[in-house]
């Protein structure tokens, strides 16, 4: 693999001008592209450890770096506005990368968006808000972002899971422990149901007593997903 490189984006929010690190073949010269979204307190380069663990050749990896190593300040379960402007800036950053892949003539069906923890929440939220056929969407220990339950008139209901559009059969994977200290398993199930309504091909796996980490079963799933895209090329 090539050495990680840096490319900057535009400036309209805390993450928009942050670097995007790359690993593997040059974008547009590989059979598949994987966008890796890191978690709270982590780094873009740290996600390349996962890339190495997957061990799939002929893949371009792109990993954006969050400002201050955090995409948004509070839990993904608080009202959306409390996590601004970081949340919107992070979503724009993913969108900018997807546009970059298109400009490099990478078909969306050959692009996978993968995130862990806070990065998983951001990746899933982006996919739900911008539904289209992709190679895959992977949320490892994450769920859709925002408050789901109405708590009376104050505060008003913040989040309604009524996304519009279709993912047109995109494989969507959600993996999480049933005792994850940051991700309630109920939100994982709720997110899976939303993606099913968006016509994704959803795989949902809950791991009893595991904790907040990536496990071998998840790595195997992602490896097979990416390998299938590479082989189809």
């Amino acid at each position: 693999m090539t050495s990680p490189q840096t490319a900057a984006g535009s400036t309209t929010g805390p993450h928009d001008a942050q670097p995007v690190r790359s690993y593997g073949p040059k974008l547009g010269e590989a059979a598949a592209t994987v966008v890796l979204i890191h978690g709270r307190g982590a780094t873009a380069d740290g996600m390349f450890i996962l890339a190495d663990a997957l061990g799939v050749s002929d893949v371009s990896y792109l990993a954006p770096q969050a400002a201050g190593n955090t995409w948004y300040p509070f839990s993904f379960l608080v009202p959306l506005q409390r996590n601004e402007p970081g949340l919107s800036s992070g979503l724009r950053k993913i969108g900018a990368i997807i546009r970059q892949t298109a400009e490099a003539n990478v078909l969306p069906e050959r692009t996978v968006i993968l995130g862990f923890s806070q990065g998983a929440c951001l990746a899933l939220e982006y996919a739900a808000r911008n539904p289209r056929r992709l190679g895959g969407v992977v949320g490892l220990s994450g769920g859709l972002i925002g408050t789901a339950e109405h708590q009376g008139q104050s505060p008003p209901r913040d989040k309604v899971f009524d996304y519009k559009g279709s993912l047109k059969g995109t494989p969507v994977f959600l993996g999480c422990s049933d005792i994850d200290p940051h991700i309630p398993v109920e939100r994982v199930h709720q997110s899976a149901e939303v993606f099913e309504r968006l016509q994704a091909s959803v795989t949902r796996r809950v791991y009893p007593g595991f904790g907040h980490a990536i496990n071998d079963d998840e790595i195997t799933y992602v490896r097979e997903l990416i390998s299938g895209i590479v082989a189809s090329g």
Side-chain angles (χ1 to χ4, degrees), residues 31-202:
T33 297
V34 179
V35 182
L36 299 170
I37 316 297
H38 70 76
R40 186 188 299 272
T43 65
D45 284 344
M47 293 299 287
F48 297 137
I49 297 172
L50 174 60
D52 283 337
L54 293 171
V56 183
S57 60
D58 204 14
V59 179
S60 293
Y61 291 95
L62 300 175
Q65 176 62 51
N69 305 102
T70 300
W71 294 107
Y72 45 85
F74 301 110
S75 164
F76 79 113
L77 299 171
V78 304
L80 294 172
Q81 190 57 39
R82 290 190 62 196
N83 276 320
E84 295 294 358
L87 173 57
S88 290
S89 180
L91 293 170
R92 283 196 303 272
K93 192 67 174 181
I94 298 176
I97 295 171
I98 296 301
R99 289 192 296 275
Q100 181 185 358
T101 64
E103 291 167 0
N105 297 315
V106 178
L107 295 174
E109 295 87 350
R110 296 191 166 276
T111 301
V112 175
I113 304 174
L114 180 155
F116 170 67
S117 191
Q118 190 184 62
C121 298
L122 197 68
L124 293 170
E125 188 70 20
Y126 175 84
R129 293 190 188 194
N130 302 275
R132 63 183 302 182
R133 182 64 167 90
L134 294 168
V137 179
V138 179
L140 305 176
S141 300
L144 291 168
I145 298 173
T147 300
E149 298 300 327
H150 181 48
Q151 301 294 333
Q153 296 302 310
S154 182
R157 185 168 182 169
D158 170 73
K159 178 74 174 230
V160 178
F161 293 101
D162 62 349
Y163 305 88
K164 306 299 184 185
S166 173
L167 281 152
K168 301 178 181 179
T170 295
V172 172
F173 179 88
L174 296 103
C176 193
S177 169
D178 62 341
I179 58 167
D180 191 300
H182 306 291
I183 314 296
V185 70
E186 293 82 6
R187 179 55 64 93
V188 177
H189 293 310
Q190 187 176 40
S191 300
E193 292 166 1
V194 169
F195 282 108
E196 287 167 352
R197 292 199 297 271
L198 289 171
Q199 299 177 321
S201 176
V202 178

Side-chain angles (χ1 to χ4, degrees), residues 200-214:
S201 176
V202 178
T203 300
R204 175 188 349 181
R205 295 182 185 174
V206 175
Y207 303 97
F210 183 70
H212 191 69
I214 300 173

